[in-house]
Amino acid sequence: MSENAENFTWLVSNFVSEVSGVEHAIVVSSDSLLLTASQDFPREYAEQLSAVVSGLSSLTEGGARMFAKGECEQLIVRMKRGHLLMTAISDGSCLAVLSSSEADMKIVGHQMARLVDDAAHVLTPQVRSQLRETVGS
């Protein structure tokens, strides 16, 4: 894996360890493939969450187009014991985060936006390909 791919994976794992209340994070490609998951997230769960995120992303994008509201930038799903937050990345991929119910959504959302702003440029076609190969092996 290239240094950029390793750094991107590290940034996602570091995000989880640094942001209070965040339990896991994944990045899903625009074609619905898991690109990376935070370090301690079991692969089978990361792949299941990737499928959920892909479905939700497709639904929100379709709804946004149908009602001419522009691209969906962020989605928050509130559950009894936590939250699922999704933020679009400029290339059509998505950062998805699972948090505890005690997490401050303003802080988590802000930190997700910072991560996307700081790291989106690294997610080139070459890096996405390397991440897919790594996750697939």
Side-chain angles (χ1 to χ4, degrees), residues 105-123:
M105 291 298 95
K106 290 179 186 174
I107 292 173
V108 174
H110 174 74
Q111 293 300 327
M112 287 176 72
R114 286 189 59 201
L115 175 60
V116 167
D117 287 345
D118 292 346
H121 71 281
V122 174
L123 207 52

Side-chain angles (χ1 to χ4, degrees), residues 38 51 70 84 106 125:
S38 53
L84 169 62
K106 290 179 186 174

Side-chain angles (χ1 to χ4, degrees), residues 12-88:
V12 171
S13 289
N14 190 60
F15 172 84
V16 171
S17 64
E18 295 291 319
V19 180
S20 180
V22 172
E23 297 170 345
H24 304 289
I26 64 170
V27 175
V28 180
S29 70
S30 59
D31 55 353
S32 305
L33 297 173
L34 177 66
L35 294 179
T36 192
S38 53
Q39 187 173 9
D40 295 327
F41 199 27
R43 181 180 167 149
E44 70 181 84
Y45 294 144
E47 289 175 353
Q48 290 170 347
L49 181 59
S50 177
V52 169
V53 167
S54 295
L56 288 172
S57 181
S58 178
L59 288 170
T60 57
E61 288 171 14
R65 276 192 307 275
M66 181 185 307
F67 298 110
K69 296 298 182 185
E71 295 179 6
C72 181
E73 296 175 348
Q74 188 176 51
L75 175 68
I76 301 172
V77 179
R78 189 171 139 203
M79 300 170 274
K80 273 192 172 187
R81 291 185 293 277
H83 303 91
L84 169 62
L85 294 88
M86 297 168 41
T87 298

